[in-house]
């Protein structure tokens, strides 16, 4: 007969465990509502031991945000294969998977939490936005974006954030519809910009030329034509 012996974790292993536990709790409730005692209990350790690895909830929250921001940024990584509309739709599905799974934590990050306004938190948010921006440009095959394209892409990323936050407040619109709508929003922003700039016009024509008849961009065009008829 053998007896179970709890394995002693190394310093970094314990830190990563606490970050994972905190992220899970922050995903269920606002970080303001989660106590160090809850984190310690969920991790199976004492409250003083939590403070041994992190000086306070703020530092643990920032570490959890760092992991979450890295995971969220990874949702924008997509193989550069196939039509752009379909690629963006897959990205939006993964993005909303994250929002769905980490609702309170995502909301706290974007709307304000215990670390709101801190340099570290702002840097994490900016890193996600920049990662998304770089990924979208790579899908457009543009290395040096003109000013109007940068405006379109960054505006769209902000729109995705605000749409996700509004959706979390009641989830009154079916998620799949919002995912498709955001892809349509990207094409619409590009189209408006193309009306003012020939370079954007060329980019929009290339986007639409590669779009299949059953793709998201073609669906938007069909919807707009039906409204005008």
């Amino acid at each position: 007969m053998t007896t179970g012996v709890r394995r002693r974790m190394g310093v970094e292993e314990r830190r990563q465990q606490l970050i994972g536990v905190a992220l899970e709790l922050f995903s269920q409730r606002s970080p303001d509502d989660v106590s160090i005692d809850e984190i310690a209990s969920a991790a199976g350790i004492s409250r003083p031991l939590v403070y041994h690895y992190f000086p306070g909830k703020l530092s643990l929250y920032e570490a959890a945000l760092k992991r979450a921001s890295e995971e969220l940024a990874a949702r924008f990584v997509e193989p550069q294969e196939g039509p752009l509309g379909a690629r963006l739709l897959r990205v939006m599905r993964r993005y909303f998977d994250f929002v769905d799974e980490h609702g309170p934590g995502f909301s706290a990050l974007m709307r304000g939490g215990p670390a709101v306004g801190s340099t570290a938190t702002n840097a994490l948010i900016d890193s996600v936005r920049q990662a998304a921006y770089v990924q979208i440009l790579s899908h457009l095959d543009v290395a040096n974006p003109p000013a109007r394209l940068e405006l379109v892409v960054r505006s769209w990323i902000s729109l995705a954030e605000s749409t996700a936050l509004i959706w979390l407040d009641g989830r009154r619109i079916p998620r799949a519809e919002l995912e498709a709508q955001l892809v349509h929003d990207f094409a619409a922003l590009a189209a408006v910009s193309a009306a003012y700039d020939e370079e954007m016009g060329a980019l929009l024509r290339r986007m639409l030329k590669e779009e299949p008849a059953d793709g998201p961009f073609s669906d938007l065009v069909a919807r707009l034509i039906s409204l005008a008829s």
Side-chain angles (χ1 to χ4, degrees), residues 134-157:
V134 170
Q135 283 296 317
I136 299 305
L137 288 184
S138 71
H139 286 292
L140 294 171
D141 196 22
V142 176
N144 299 302
R148 289 189 189 277
L149 178 57
E150 180 175 1
L151 180 62
V152 165
V153 176
R154 293 197 184 279
S155 296
W156 182 71
I157 292 169

Side-chain angles (χ1 to χ4, degrees), residues 150-170:
E150 180 175 1
L151 180 62
V152 165
V153 176
R154 293 197 184 279
S155 296
W156 182 71
I157 292 169
S158 296
L159 179 60
E161 289 177 9
S162 59
T163 298
L165 286 171
I166 294 170
W167 177 74
L168 281 171
D169 189 16

Side-chain angles (χ1 to χ4, degrees):
M1 180 178 178
T2 61
T3 57
V5 178
R6 180 178 294 179
R7 182 174 63 85
R8 185 182 181 87
M9 290 187 181
V11 173
E12 185 57 27
E13 186 179 8
R14 177 66 78 182
R15 280 179 55 84
Q16 293 304 316
Q17 182 218 16
L18 285 170
I19 291 171
V21 167
L23 183 58
E24 178 63 26
L25 290 172
F26 294 154
S27 296
Q28 298 167 7
R29 307 202 317 277
S30 169
D32 283 322
D33 298 330
V34 177
S35 69
I36 287 292
D37 287 331
E38 287 181 86
I39 294 170
S41 176
I45 61 176
S46 66
R47 175 189 175 99
L49 195 54
V50 175
Y51 285 111
H52 175 74
Y53 293 100
F54 293 94
K57 189 171 78 170
L58 179 59
S59 63
L60 180 52
Y61 175 64
E62 288 182 345
L65 284 185
K66 184 175 186 300
R67 181 182 291 185
S69 67
E70 291 169 350
E71 182 181 341
L72 183 55
R75 303 294 173 110
F76 285 90
V77 178
E78 170 72 21
Q80 296 180 30
E81 302 171 355
L84 177 63
R87 286 184 247 166
L88 290 181
L89 186 56
R90 288 192 292 269
V91 167
M92 284 296 96
R93 285 171 179 163
R94 288 197 300 273
Y95 183 80
F96 271 84
D97 279 345
F98 181 93
V99 173
D100 209 359
E101 295 163 9
H102 303 282
F106 178 85
S107 181
L109 172 61
M110 297 302 175
R111 285 178 172 156
V116 67
S118 76
T119 302
T121 304
N122 290 338
L124 289 174
I125 297 171
D126 287 342
S127 72
V128 174
R129 291 169 177 159
Q130 184 61 22
Y133 175 71
V134 170
Q135 283 296 317
I136 299 305
L137 288 184
S138 71
H139 286 292
L140 294 171
D141 196 22
V142 176
N144 299 302
R148 289 189 189 277
L149 178 57
E150 180 175 1
L151 180 62
V152 165
V153 176
R154 293 197 184 279
S155 296
W156 182 71
I157 292 169
S158 296
L159 179 60
E161 289 177 9
S162 59
T163 298
L165 286 171
I166 294 170
W167 177 74
L168 281 171
D169 189 16
R171 309 188 186 212
R172 292 175 295 172
I173 299 175
R175 179 184 140 178
E177 289 183 15
L178 284 184
E179 292 165 355
Q181 181 177 316
L182 280 166
V183 177
H184 291 169
D185 287 335
F186 182 85
L189 287 169
V192 170
S193 185
Y196 293 87
D197 184 89
E198 177 51 37
E199 192 171 6
M200 284 298 300
L203 177 63
L204 180 65
R205 286 190 289 273
R206 176 160 59 87
M207 287 167 47
L208 296 177
K209 181 180 179 181
E210 297 171 355
E211 184 75 2
D214 60 348
F217 292 164
S218 298
D219 177 52
L220 173 61
V221 172
R223 289 172 183 269
L224 292 175
I225 291 174
S226 68
L227 286 175
S229 61

